[in-house]
Amino acid sequence: GPGQSRVLCYGLAGNTTGAEFRGFSGAMQTKYKKLLARGELQKAEAEYEGNGIVEDGKILQPYTTVQFNTVYSTPLDNGVSATGLAAYGQLTSVGLVAGGSTQFTWTVHHSSDNISWSVLVAFTAATTTGQAAERVQTTAMVERYVRMTYGFGGIGSTTPNAKVFVGIKR
């Protein structure tokens, strides 16, 4: 709601791996107005002001629904390895159910050869069906290739899913 500082991301040139995005580590909603129309998708207008870091980077995981049977995004070739990375993650829904999947974990991995991968940064695991947004960073060496990896813990008889976005700034 208004007055809360949040992580906010949006695409500048589409919603595909490698496309540009802008991430705000602290966006404050100042105005919100519902735009109601009978028989149509409900829309709203919101205005935000930045009160933290603003960074432009590349989309690693386009905003989409991910399923339990795929565990990583398309790798992004960042070129030469370099020090430091900030990752923005937005999770808008998680299909966790009692007796089924109880946790969604998501991380950014990196690789020098696009074959052997290791964890670079991790977002806070989601254990509820609510929304989450987070900015995590590292000052470590970041190898040439990066990808988002994810997993669902406690998979039961239902098919878990999550609607997620990840962008990185090097």
Side-chain angles (χ1 to χ4, degrees), residues 35-44:
L35 305 173
L36 302 175
R38 187 172 295 227
E40 292 186 23
L41 179 66
Q42 300 303 306
K43 299 176 186 176

Side-chain angles (χ1 to χ4, degrees), residues 91-97 101 103-104 126 128-130 152 160-163:
L91 184 62
T92 59
S93 68
V94 182
L96 303 178
V97 292
S101 183
Q103 184 178 56
F104 177 74
T128 67
T129 58
F152 295 90
N161 61 72
K163 194 151 191 179

Side-chain angles (χ1 to χ4, degrees), residues 110-158:
H110 64 147
S111 170
S112 61
D113 58 8
N114 203 17
I115 297 170
S116 298
W117 296 87
S118 61
V119 175
L120 181 61
V121 292
F123 296 101
T124 302
T127 56
T128 67
T129 58
Q131 300 180 359
E134 187 174 8
R135 179 187 182 272
V136 294
Q137 67 180 21
T138 182
T139 57
M141 176 60 68
V142 180
E143 300 295 348
R144 177 177 177 178
Y145 300 95
V146 290
R147 69 182 184 192
M148 182 196 79
T149 60
Y150 58 90
F152 295 90
I155 297 172
S157 60
T158 59

Side-chain angles (χ1 to χ4, degrees), residues 5 16-17 25 32 36 52 87 120 138 140 154 162 164:
S5 185
T16 59
T17 301
S25 68
Y32 183 83
L36 302 175
L120 181 61
T138 182
V164 64

Side-chain angles (χ1 to χ4, degrees), residues 29-92:
Q29 182 181 326
T30 58
K31 295 181 182 176
Y32 183 83
K33 178 182 175 184
K34 292 181 182 179
L35 305 173
L36 302 175
R38 187 172 295 227
E40 292 186 23
L41 179 66
Q42 300 303 306
K43 299 176 186 176
E45 285 181 357
E47 291 184 21
Y48 291 87
E49 292 181 15
N51 66 345
I53 298 170
V54 178
E55 298 174 298
D56 291 339
K58 302 285 184 187
I59 294 174
L60 186 57
Q61 169 62 53
Y63 181 62
T64 191
T65 300
V66 295
Q67 302 286 334
F68 79 97
N69 56 354
T70 304
V71 295
Y72 54 85
S73 67
T74 301
L76 178 62
D77 184 345
N78 267 315
V80 178
S81 298
T83 303
L85 174 135
Y88 287 80
Q90 294 212 203
L91 184 62
T92 59

